[in-house]
Amino acid sequence: MSYESLESLVFLTNRLQNPQVYKAMNLPLEFITFGIAEGKMYAHLYRKGAFVVPPDVRNRWGNSVVYGGLFHCPDLWYYLRVLDAYMACSKTTLGMNHPRDMHHRIIKDVTPIRFNTLDELARLKYREGTQPFQAHTYEGNLQHPSVHRRVYANPARSYRIKSGIEVEHVQSLFEEAQREG
């Protein structure tokens, strides 16, 4: 089976990449590899979850990549309804991203990365793949009031996750991949 097919790949950067979460939701996600994509990560209200915005939004300085898991999802067109509902996106229902959605589903280039330990990842000593894959992923909709407030908040109260990674969820995914691999 070729994972290069756009019909089967999804890149998750938030808590959905945590195996306990996607298994509890009965999502048949098959972890392929970790990956990086362009973007900046921000925390949602009460720091419950995170979202990604394009790298050129607001300040152009700082980390401009986000880390997450690249997954194969059999019958993705069916499960996109579940993912879209979880992410407050109406693309599967309307056939387009609505201006009032909290997140928009887009197709983005994701570069696979490999590392042996979480320490290697923390020190940015990972190896990048030679060819990026295109995958479905979610970005925060800057027109949505909650997302807009987080991104354009007073710099003294920044909600930006400067590392571009949700550590506890990547750690859970890494541990699960080590057990299964």
Side-chain angles (χ1 to χ4, degrees), residues 2-12 32-33 35-38 69-73 76-77 80 91 105-112 130-138:
S2 172
Y3 292 126
E4 296 178 33
S5 169
L6 178 61
E7 284 82 34
S8 67
L9 294 180
V10 62
F11 180 63
L12 301 172
I32 299 171
T33 187
I36 58 174
E38 289 186 341
L70 186 64
F71 295 88
H72 165 69
C73 183
L76 179 65
W77 296 110
L80 278 177
K91 189 166 185 175
R105 180 168 37 94
I106 61 168
I107 296 169
K108 184 183 255 189
D109 283 342
V110 177
T111 303
T130 57
Q131 177 182 352
F133 293 96
Q134 287 204 324
H136 294 272
T137 191
Y138 293 89

Side-chain angles (χ1 to χ4, degrees), residues 66-86:
V66 293
Y67 298 83
L70 186 64
F71 295 88
H72 165 69
C73 183
D75 197 15
L76 179 65
W77 296 110
Y78 174 80
Y79 288 103
L80 278 177
R81 282 191 174 274
V82 177
L83 291 169
D84 283 359
Y86 181 85

Side-chain angles (χ1 to χ4, degrees), residues 73-124:
C73 183
D75 197 15
L76 179 65
W77 296 110
Y78 174 80
Y79 288 103
L80 278 177
R81 282 191 174 274
V82 177
L83 291 169
D84 283 359
Y86 181 85
M87 299 298 293
C89 174
S90 57
K91 189 166 185 175
T92 51
T93 305
L94 299 177
M96 61 179 235
N97 288 310
H98 191 274
R100 294 287 187 193
D101 290 343
M102 185 174 283
H103 298 95
H104 286 168
R105 180 168 37 94
I106 61 168
I107 296 169
K108 184 183 255 189
D109 283 342
V110 177
T111 303
I113 60 173
R114 299 218 186 277
F115 48 90
N116 296 321
T117 65
L118 290 173
D119 186 56
E120 285 182 7
L121 176 63
R123 296 173 187 270
L124 304 179

